[in-house]
Amino acid sequence: EIVDHKFSPMFGGERAVKISGELAGYYRETAKRQGCAFLDAASVTMPGAEDSVHLDPEGHRVFAEAVTEKLREILRERKEIKMSSLYKEIKRRYEVWRENALQDPELVQELEEMAGNPDKITDAFYQNLSFGTGGLRGVIGAGTNRMNIYTVGKASQGLADYINRNFYGTDRRIAVSYDSRIKSSLFARRAAEVFAANGIRVFIYSELMPTPMLSWAVRRLHCAAGVMVTASHNPAQYNG
C-alpha cells in the first residue's frame, strides 16, 4: 500500500516521496539496478513509520515506473486469485452436471467434449441463464448459461411455485405452446411435466403453434399463466 505520494521541497529544494516501509526497499533496489544515484540512500525504519526515500530526477523517473509496474503486478495477482476462485466454483458446477445431467444424450456428449477446455466450461457455467425483455432465451446446449431441459425445468419450477402461492383450486392452470425451433417440443414437454408434478393442470398443444394461439388458450381456458417455447427472431442455435 502506498501511504502517501507527494513531492515537497526538502534538502535544498530536492523532492522526497513518502512510501510505505514495505515497498521502500523494493523501489530502492529497483533504482539501484537501473544505476540511479540517490541523494540519500539510507532510510530509518521504525515501527509504524514510513521510509523517506530522497531521489534525484532520474530516481524519480524510475520510482514512477516502479510504482506503476508494482501496482500492475498487484492487480494481476488479485485478478488471478479472483479468477482462480471463480473458476473453482464454475468447475464444481460442471462436474455436478457431468455426473448427474444424463437425461439428454446430446448434453452428455457435449459435457464430455468440454472436459479439459476451461474456456468452454466457463462460458457454459459462469452464470445462470437470466430473463430479459424476450423472456428466458439463450443458446441451446449444456450448462447453466444455456437453454436445455434443466434450465427450462428450473424456470418452470419457479413459475409453478408462484402459481401455487397465488392461485387456488381450479385456478391453477397453465397453457403451453411451442414453435418449430430446435428442441421446442422437448422443452414444452419438460415444462408441462414440472407443472403437472406440482399439481397444476396443464393444457399443451399436440402440435406446433404460433404465439397468438397461446394467448387465445390462456384466455379461453381461464389459465393463470401461459408458456410459449420460442426464440422469435434469434439465430437458429437459440431457443427460449
Side-chain angles (χ1 to χ4, degrees), residues 137-203:
R137 192 172 292 187
V139 175
I140 300 169
T144 59
N145 192 35
R146 297 286 188 267
M147 278 293 297
N148 51 65
I149 56 175
Y150 304 106
T151 52
V152 169
K154 182 177 180 180
S156 300
Q157 183 60 53
L159 179 56
D161 290 342
Y162 176 83
I163 295 298
N164 283 332
R165 280 197 307 267
N166 294 279
F167 295 84
Y168 302 92
T170 58
D171 290 336
R172 290 175 176 169
R173 300 176 168 210
I174 295 179
V176 179
S177 182
Y178 56 94
D179 64 8
S180 60
R181 280 183 168 269
I182 298 171
K183 295 197 173 184
S184 281
S185 60
L186 177 64
F187 295 159
R189 289 197 301 273
R190 173 49 57 96
E193 289 167 356
V194 172
F195 298 144
N198 281 270
I200 299 171
R201 189 175 182 186
V202 184
F203 299 92

Side-chain angles (χ1 to χ4, degrees), residues 43-82:
S43 63
V44 179
T45 303
M46 297 176 62
E50 299 121 358
D51 287 347
S52 291
V53 183
H54 309 295
L55 309 176
D56 62 8
E58 177 64 11
H60 281 296
R61 182 188 66 77
V62 174
F63 170 81
E65 291 177 354
V67 169
T68 301
E69 181 55 35
K70 189 63 176 179
L71 290 177
R72 284 175 178 166
E73 180 184 332
I74 291 170
L75 290 173
R76 281 195 299 267
E77 289 176 354
R78 289 181 179 177
K79 183 177 180 180
E80 287 173 0
I81 292 172
K82 182 178 180 181

Side-chain angles (χ1 to χ4, degrees), residues 1-8 15-20 27 50 55 60 63-65 67-68 71:
E1 179 184 1
I2 297 180
V3 178
D4 189 18
H5 182 193
K6 64 181 179 180
F7 296 105
S8 58
R15 296 178 295 180
V17 180
K18 293 177 67 180
I19 58 177
S20 67
Y27 299 134
E50 299 121 358
L55 309 176
H60 281 296
F63 170 81
E65 291 177 354
V67 169
T68 301
L71 290 177

Side-chain angles (χ1 to χ4, degrees), residues 93 97 124-131 136 143-146 151 154:
R93 294 180 192 173
W97 275 59
F125 289 94
Y126 82 97
Q127 67 174 5
N128 291 319
L129 195 63
S130 59
F131 279 84
L136 188 70
T144 59
N145 192 35
R146 297 286 188 267
T151 52
K154 182 177 180 180

